[in-house]
Amino acid sequence: MIALVRVDNRLIHGQVVSTWIPHLKVDKVVVVDDDAAASPLIQAAMTMALPPHLEAEIVPRAQADLPALARSSKRILVLVRDVANAEAVVGQTPIAVLNLGNVHFGEGRKAISASVFLAEDEVEALGRIAAGGTEIEARAVPTDHRVGLEELRARYRAAS
């Protein structure tokens, strides 16, 4: 089963390893990212940070099979780098929650929280994902207050 799909520019890193993995009690981490899947160096660096008992898989977006992950008996954390990849993978199968953890500043993006910056097309994509029944939340770590889609939209409109 898919325990969570998380958007995080850094994919596997200390915050994910030390907070989300124990919180979700996952058996496996699947990174869906073309750049990471193409680089043995990036793969080695990311998987080195994981506990040895945890299974990890890094696949390009075209090979991501979310329906198969959803049917798995293992608890799985899926990590994607950006909202565009999230929309592509979430569109494959019903997902309960899409978490925005770290979306770094970029051209056209506005600050939504300390760790999430979104562009207008990304806010619109999140709306399309939510229309399919997926709850959208922004929070860096499990103990943070959940910021839902309506609050994200309000913060986007209020951001200068």
Side-chain angles (χ1 to χ4, degrees), residues 99-141:
N99 169 266
L100 303 174
N102 290 292
V103 182
H104 295 166
F105 178 78
E107 187 174 331
R109 286 184 173 155
K110 297 178 181 179
I112 305 302
S113 72
S115 64
V116 176
F117 296 79
L118 295 173
E120 184 174 355
D121 64 325
E122 293 170 318
V123 175
E124 291 170 1
L126 293 172
R128 290 189 298 273
I129 293 169
T134 299
E135 178 187 349
I136 307 295
E137 67 166 32
R139 57 182 174 149
V141 295

Side-chain angles (χ1 to χ4, degrees), residues 28-81:
K28 181 176 182 177
V29 175
V30 176
V31 174
V32 179
D33 186 76
D34 291 347
D35 291 339
S39 170
L41 180 61
I42 292 173
Q43 291 178 33
M46 284 195 300
T47 56
M48 192 179 321
L50 293 173
H53 68 278
L54 200 64
E55 186 178 344
E57 186 176 1
I58 301 172
V59 298
R61 190 167 92 181
Q63 293 179 12
D65 187 351
L66 272 286
L69 298 177
R71 290 188 305 270
S72 173
S73 61
K74 296 179 179 176
R75 291 183 56 81
I76 301 169
L77 169 62
V78 177
L79 299 168
V80 297
R81 189 181 301 272

